Amino acid sequence: MKIARLFIAGLALAGLTAAASAGTLDEITKRGELRVAVQTQGPPFSLVGANGERTGSSVELAELMAKEMGVKIKFLDFDWDGLIPALLSGKADLLVADMTPTLARGMKVAFTTPYMYTGSTVFTKADSKFKTTEDCKAKGTKIAVLLGATGEKEAKTAFPDADIKSYKGGGPLLLDAVNNGQADCGVNDVSAVKGQSTAYPAGSFTIMPDLLSKEPLAFATRYDEPDLLVWMNLFLNQVTIDGRLQKNLDYWVNSDAWKKDH
Amino acid sequence: MLENFSFRTIVEYLPLFGQGLVTTVWLSALSFVGALVVGIVLCAMNLQRGWLFRAPAKAYIDAVRATPLLAQLYFLYFGLPRLGFVLPELVVGILALSLNSGAYIAEIIRAGILSIPRGQVEASVASGMTYVQRMRLVVLPQAFKVTIPPLLGQAIVLVKDSALLSLISVAELTRAGQLLASDRFMPAEGFVTIAAFYLLLYYCLKGLAVLSSRWLGTAGART
């Protein structure tokens, strides 16, 4: 008798915990909407196209995710340093940006396996006296970086004597600051710099061939959304196998083929 | 709730907050002096009879009051260089705050001067005072007294507005909070701390207002 009662209580308890951890995926299905945090900072990862539509490599991958989930998608726009706080505060289910899964960020959010690799590069204005990465090491050189980006820390390490100026917002601000002469050199991901410099006349910037770092890029969710993380990894695995990821990256990141369409 | 709040991190970042606070204080002080100069000049122009000085002053005050400070700041920092003027961020910051606050201060001073009853001006004209004597002895001492409280109110606004300078890479108080928030992903700790420091600055200015009104109450010009 007693054992039977215990058994039933145990079953009920298991049922309760199962219900409690029904998970984010169920929630998203019920809601019918996937909420994605992005930073619309410019090509190639996230931009507003010629017709005012939101697009880019990360944006298309997120749209593909929502399509595979069978739900609508809702994008929420944040500054670079606001992306992780937005995710942590539950405003978004996941974040797609050209974000590097650093160990420090990994203490806060759960990253998928990396889906591509890039690196931080140094860029200068084409006609400036700073021609190489070495030139930017001079004492007092003004280096523009993005608040909260990996380039911020790399610049501090690579240019210890420089005057690091961090901007809040997106990568295009760094290009502006360097183009305007308010900073001598800028540090950001090479894929971002290449994509965003297309907004300027060709040959406005010198992008150094050497990279300060190797940076994997990944998407992120919260640690209390393990089901979503598992699904996102499954998704990345699937699009890698069927070639949709390569097609996306070839179009947006590895070439400027997107320019004629957007 | 509070068990997630890391006082330890705030203490760790205190030197950074200290530097930011110092920058905010001297930036705001310089900008306020600049704003006073801009305000007095604008107000003097605005009080002229001829439209030649009055019209540009009015147009400027309207333009500044109608546009957001953020837009003015971005124009000076990111826009002006395209027209050939590249200024460092500290100069842009002080300039933007002075030019913006100056427009409001011009109106505060004007209201102060216009609050002096017309009869007093007429009486001083009748007793043979020159324009300068009239202003120095009759109008300005009284106008000064009524403008002090709104001027200190404007100073408080200016201190809070200086937070926007973090957006053009000035390492002031708000930027210190942003750094904590972005380095450690602790927005609560970062922004609560700067709120406390701004509150401190607010009380300092408020204390100044009380002191100055007391001083003016006894030593100020009486009619």
Side-chain angles (χ1 to χ4, degrees):
Chain A
M1 230 8 216
K2 253 188 188 165
I3 291 172
R5 223 183 267 167
L6 259 179
F7 184 68
I8 290 167
L11 266 185
L13 206 69
L16 271 178
T17 37
S21 63
T24 315
L25 283 173
D26 279 354
E27 224 179 285
I28 292 168
T29 315
K30 256 186 234 148
R31 200 195 301 137
E33 189 177 67
L34 178 67
R35 299 172 308 167
V36 181
V38 291
Q39 187 210 15
T40 308
Q41 56 173 349
F45 295 103
S46 174
L47 67 144
V48 175
N51 305 321
E53 82 287 7
R54 192 192 292 273
T55 185
S57 169
S58 298
V59 167
E60 282 194 349
L61 285 173
E63 281 167 346
L64 207 51
M65 268 191 245
K67 203 180 130 211
E68 294 288 355
M69 284 178 174
V71 295
K72 281 192 289 197
I73 193 160
K74 183 184 175 193
F75 288 107
L76 302 150
D77 222 322
F78 296 95
D79 278 349
W80 182 257
D81 63 311
L83 283 170
I84 287 180
L87 182 63
L88 289 176
S89 62
K91 291 188 174 61
D93 301 315
L94 57 98
L95 78 81
V96 300
D98 43 332
M99 189 174 276
T100 302
T102 62
L103 293 176
R105 287 173 183 154
M107 295 290 285
K108 292 286 173 184
V109 297
F111 283 99
T112 63
T113 48
Y115 66 93
M116 69 164 280
Y117 287 86
T118 179
S120 282
T121 191
V122 183
F123 62 95
T124 59
K125 205 177 172 186
D127 56 6
S128 90
K129 66 186 171 76
F130 297 85
K131 298 287 179 209
T132 63
T133 305
E134 208 57 34
D135 290 346
C136 299
K137 287 186 179 160
K139 201 171 161 57
T141 308
K142 285 176 277 186
I143 311 238
V145 297
L146 201 55
L147 181 68
T150 45
E152 194 184 23
K153 301 232 160 38
E154 274 143 24
K156 279 177 189 161
T157 316
F159 310 109
D161 297 326
D163 170 17
I164 308 285
K165 290 155 66 109
S166 58
Y167 290 85
K168 186 175 155 61
L173 289 180
L174 308 185
L175 291 159
D176 253 352
V178 168
N179 187 52
N180 290 345
Q182 279 139 340
D184 303 310
C185 312
V187 176
N188 205 359
D189 283 0
V190 64
S191 42
V193 174
K194 279 189 176 152
Q196 288 154 13
S197 61
T198 55
Y200 291 82
S204 296
F205 297 99
T206 308
I207 300 174
M208 307 303 171
D210 45 334
L211 295 179
L212 293 182
S213 62
K214 188 178 184 189
E215 309 252 340
L217 298 184
F219 298 146
T221 59
R222 285 187 298 275
Y223 277 113
D224 63 4
E225 305 177 313
D227 54 335
L228 183 56
L229 181 65
V230 168
W231 190 89
M232 283 164 74
N233 275 326
L234 195 63
F235 167 84
L236 285 174
N237 192 31
Q238 187 59 44
V239 293
T240 308
I241 290 169
D242 64 23
R244 283 185 284 179
L245 177 65
Q246 198 54 48
K247 211 173 130 199
N248 175 300
L249 296 179
D250 283 344
Y251 179 77
W252 287 105
V253 183
N254 303 329
S255 73
D256 47 14
W258 58 270
K259 256 200 270 183
K260 61 180 190 320
D261 303 328
H262 296 283
Chain B
M1 266 301 266
L2 261 184
E3 66 267 24
N4 290 330
F5 196 88
S6 172
F7 289 100
R8 197 176 53 78
T9 314
I10 293 179
V11 172
E12 201 182 313
Y13 271 74
L14 271 185
L16 193 68
F17 282 112
Q19 286 168 16
L21 182 69
V22 169
T23 307
T24 290
V25 167
W26 73 258
L27 258 178
S28 303
L30 262 182
S31 302
F32 190 68
V33 172
L36 273 179
V37 172
V38 171
I40 290 169
V41 170
L42 278 175
C43 176
M45 286 167 74
N46 208 354
L47 288 174
Q48 299 301 312
R49 283 231 187 81
W51 60 270
L52 191 65
F53 287 104
R54 219 176 56 210
K58 277 201 187 312
Y60 176 83
I61 291 170
D62 286 344
V64 167
R65 296 215 296 184
T67 50
L69 174 57
L70 183 60
Q72 296 160 11
L73 190 67
Y74 274 173
F75 170 75
L76 289 177
Y77 192 75
F78 291 111
L80 268 192
R82 299 295 167 89
L83 308 175
F85 302 96
V86 184
L87 301 169
E89 67 269 12
L90 283 172
V91 177
V92 169
I94 294 170
L95 203 63
L97 288 177
S98 301
L99 292 175
N100 177 277
S101 216
Y104 294 94
I105 286 178
E107 290 296 275
I108 291 172
I109 300 177
R110 192 170 75 107
I113 290 176
L114 293 182
S115 74
I116 308 306
R118 188 97 200 117
Q120 290 191 19
V121 179
E122 282 159 4
S124 50
V125 173
S127 48
M129 285 188 179
T130 63
Y131 177 79
V132 174
Q133 281 176 323
R134 206 161 74 221
M135 282 312 236
R136 190 166 64 87
L137 298 169
V138 180
V139 178
L140 288 183
Q142 299 184 77
F144 186 58
K145 213 167 110 178
V146 293
T147 51
I148 286 290
L151 275 184
L152 277 159
Q154 185 61 37
I156 290 166
V157 172
L158 191 150
V159 169
K160 290 188 290 182
D161 281 350
S162 73
L164 287 179
L165 302 196
S166 63
L167 296 174
I168 56 167
S169 82
V170 175
E172 42 69 76
L173 187 52
T174 301
R175 168 48 51 91
Q178 287 172 350
L179 275 174
L180 199 167
S182 76
D183 276 2
R184 304 290 179 90
F185 313 108
M186 291 181 175
E189 286 82 349
F191 295 119
V192 159
T193 311
I194 63 164
F197 278 115
Y198 280 114
L199 197 65
L200 183 77
L201 288 178
Y202 168 78
Y203 279 124
C204 290
L205 281 170
K206 209 174 152 190
L208 214 61
V210 171
L211 280 181
S212 65
S213 69
R214 253 189 229 151
W215 174 71
L216 284 167
T218 51
R222 286 253 168 233
T223 47

